[in-house]
Amino acid sequence: MTQGALLPSAYDAYARYFVKYVQEYEAAGVPIFAVTMQNEPMHVPHDYPGLGMMATEQAAFLRDHLGPAFQKADLRTKILVFDHKLGLDPISDQRSKRRKHSQICGRHRHALLRRQRHLTE
């Protein structure tokens, strides 16, 4: 699917998918250190599959679905979240239940890497 978003009614199924994914890899001897809830944060690709998920949606999914599902399954796999506004979004700002499920914040640095390559070429 391209140009898509996840309906809140599918959050439970998506959380169960993550649990099963981690469990199956671990059963095969491949430990999973961390997962992310979406690829290409703040970008919904038009020419390949992607998932649009804003900070408030990620926070609700993490707090009410993915975090509790990992906890119930006793998974130690980390959940990486994207910091949408350099530390000023609902995921990193609030000291609520969602913080207990994720302490790691991921960022994409594509623009920075392109600038660095340009300067060294």
Side-chain angles (χ1 to χ4, degrees):
M1 174 175 76
T2 57
Q3 300 274 304
L6 187 64
L7 296 173
S9 60
Y11 284 5
D12 276 335
Y14 194 42
R16 287 191 310 271
Y17 165 81
F18 274 102
V19 168
K20 185 75 166 171
Y21 174 87
V22 171
Q23 288 173 333
E24 291 296 320
Y25 269 92
E26 288 182 350
V30 181
I32 303 295
F33 172 75
V35 296
T36 60
M37 293 181 279
Q38 75 174 128
N39 184 35
E40 302 291 358
M42 298 197 56
H43 173 70
V44 180
H46 68 279
D47 56 348
Y48 60 91
L51 172 64
M53 194 177 235
M54 295 294 98
T56 54
E57 296 164 320
Q58 281 192 37
F61 176 63
L62 176 62
R63 179 193 65 231
D64 301 333
H65 303 275
L66 187 59
F70 270 39
Q71 192 171 21
K72 182 179 177 183
D74 197 31
L75 296 179
R76 301 194 192 285
T77 301
K78 305 291 183 208
I79 301 169
L80 303 177
V81 296
F82 177 72
D83 189 350
H84 283 75
K85 298 214 182 345
L86 303 175
L88 303 175
D89 66 87
I91 292 175
S92 354
D93 276 355
Q94 298 180 15
R95 306 286 185 241
S96 66
K97 284 196 287 182
R98 64 186 149 265
R99 286 296 298 259
K100 80 176 183 180
H101 297 301
S102 178
Q103 298 82 32
I104 300 173
C105 192
R107 299 186 196 278
H108 280 210
R109 295 288 189 204
H110 300 303
L112 178 61
L113 292 175
R114 280 194 298 272
R115 275 187 263 136
Q116 286 175 339
R117 272 197 306 265
H118 176 71
L119 293 174
T120 59
E121 292 176 347

